[in-house]
Amino acid sequence: MQISVFNLKSPKSGMIKFFESKKKQKIKPVDLGLCLSGGGALGFAHIGVIQALLENKIEPNFISGSSMGAIVGTLYAAGVTPSEMMQMIKDDRLYRVTKLMNLKPSLFRSGFSDQSTILTLIKEIIPHNSFEGLQKKMFICVSNLTLAKWEIKGSGNDLNIWVSASASIPGVFEACESGDTLYVDGGLLNNFPAQPLKNLCSDIIGVDVLPHETQSKIKKPIDSIIQSIRTVQHVNASEGRSMCKYIIEPQLLNHYHEFRFDAYQKIYEEGYRDTIEFIKNNPGILELMNQDMISKGVPA
């Protein structure tokens, strides 16, 4: 947990201004939550959203996520900057479908691809591989296929396993085994896991890259399947969405789909632009600015 600490070595006039401004307006605690939805390649928008928030001194320090939201959220919690994440993508290190989907020919596996790439990547970037070693608190949502329920993981020295499990798209990636239990993509049963943040944060910002949008025409059978899956995910996200003070919904669905990993740059830019616009239209969100960042002049 980060605690705002005023620099006592600052000029006296600065102290007076600080406390005078504090009297005029209630300063929010820095226990700010950020919930990142799943959404495959659309989750690259999360990186742009985080960039825009940081530029406006809004720095969540409690994070939760499903699927791609778990990957981006974990990297952010580890101190990886949005620009560093984008460089990883350009270097083919971060969840490019062409690199991650090492297809296996056997029909008897639980998925076409194993999780070796992402397991290795997380451990490479976060050598301690522990929730407790992260700079910010991270909660990862996984779907327990054995017990038919979603679960939240937030402690232990197996961080890469739970990130991998949360991103295990059923039928594409192998299910992750833990003892006699099978785990897959957290978005299957809870695509918007704000629940663990509710009692820890004064406010929660949610980012949903799969908001419900009414389709007037469904031309192909595949469109019907995709829309059905998105509808189910939106329904299972409703509880988490209700816990957020602000929900940012990048406008992606008319241009991209969950497997457009090649469009990472444009998806990132859309997330960034839509967040800047959201802040402009919802100035109240600026009350959540991290006062420690402001007093220390911390750059985004």
Side-chain angles (χ1 to χ4, degrees):
M1 180 184 300
Q2 295 183 345
I3 302 175
S4 294
V5 179
F6 184 74
N7 186 354
L8 296 178
K9 295 181 180 179
S10 299
K12 189 173 183 180
S13 60
M15 291 179 67
I16 294 173
K17 289 180 180 178
F18 177 81
F19 288 111
E20 284 181 346
S21 64
K22 192 170 182 180
K23 288 179 182 178
K24 293 179 181 178
Q25 59 178 356
K26 291 183 179 180
I27 296 177
K28 298 283 186 181
V30 295
D31 294 340
L32 176 61
L34 177 67
C35 179
L36 304 176
S37 76
L42 302 178
F44 287 132
H46 291 317
I47 306 175
V49 171
I50 292 172
Q51 178 65 41
L53 291 176
L54 293 178
E55 287 180 5
N56 284 275
K57 311 301 182 191
I58 300 171
E59 184 186 23
N61 59 342
F62 286 81
I63 322 298
S64 68
S66 279
S67 197
M68 193 59 161
I71 296 176
V72 174
T74 297
L75 294 176
Y76 170 65
V80 181
T81 66
S83 60
E84 289 170 339
M85 293 185 209
M86 291 303 291
Q87 189 59 50
M88 289 179 192
I89 300 170
K90 293 173 184 176
D91 293 342
D92 286 337
R93 294 177 65 205
L94 180 57
Y95 208 33
R96 289 289 297 277
V97 72
T98 54
K99 296 293 180 183
L100 218 58
M101 290 179 66
N102 300 314
L103 297 182
K104 309 293 183 181
S106 174
L107 296 177
F108 299 99
R109 305 181 72 91
S110 59
F112 291 117
S113 173
D114 64 27
Q115 292 286 344
S116 59
T117 301
I118 195 165
L119 286 167
T120 302
L121 174 65
I122 295 299
K123 205 162 186 180
E124 176 187 330
I125 298 171
I126 311 171
H128 56 74
N129 198 34
S130 114
F131 283 90
E132 288 76 12
L134 297 173
Q135 296 179 19
K136 304 177 190 300
K137 183 62 182 174
M138 181 69 204
F139 296 99
I140 294 173
C141 182
V142 293
S143 294
N144 183 327
L145 280 186
T146 306
L147 298 179
K149 66 177 185 176
W150 57 268
E151 298 176 5
I152 297 295
K153 306 297 180 180
S155 63
N157 297 315
D158 45 10
L159 178 65
N160 65 335
I161 291 176
W162 296 120
V163 173
S164 175
S166 186
S168 296
I169 303 171
V172 176
F173 295 103
E174 292 180 7
C176 291
E177 294 185 36
S178 179
D180 296 327
T181 305
L182 291 177
Y183 291 97
V184 295
D185 194 321
L188 175 68
L189 298 179
N190 186 351
N191 203 45
F192 205 84
Q195 289 84 350
L197 305 177
K198 182 179 180 181
N199 295 325
L200 295 173
C201 303
S202 55
D203 292 298
I204 303 171
I205 297 172
V207 185
D208 193 350
V209 299
L210 285 175
H212 179 67
E213 293 187 1
T214 303
Q215 297 290 325
S216 57
K217 293 182 179 179
I218 296 180
K219 300 179 180 178
K220 304 175 183 177
I222 188 63
D223 295 333
S224 177
I225 295 173
I226 291 174
Q227 185 60 26
S228 297
I229 294 172
R230 289 175 177 173
T231 299
V232 170
Q233 288 182 310
H234 182 74
V235 171
N236 74 38
S238 60
E239 180 181 330
R241 285 173 60 94
S242 70
M243 297 175 181
C244 298
K245 183 169 185 178
Y246 297 101
I247 298 181
I248 299 169
E249 300 178 334
Q251 300 302 299
L252 301 165
L253 296 181
N254 289 330
H255 307 288
Y256 309 103
H257 57 69
E258 291 85 333
F259 287 93
R260 280 298 309 274
F261 290 91
D262 60 308
Y264 65 89
Q265 183 67 38
K266 291 182 179 179
I267 293 173
Y268 160 84
E269 292 170 357
E270 189 67 46
Y272 176 84
R273 282 195 304 268
D274 289 351
T275 303
I276 293 297
E277 186 67 21
F278 183 91
I279 293 171
K280 188 183 300 182
N281 295 332
N282 298 272
I285 197 173
L286 294 174
E287 295 177 9
L288 306 180
M289 287 192 296
N290 186 320
Q291 297 300 320
D292 195 34
M293 292 177 71
I294 296 172
S295 63
K296 292 181 180 179
V298 178

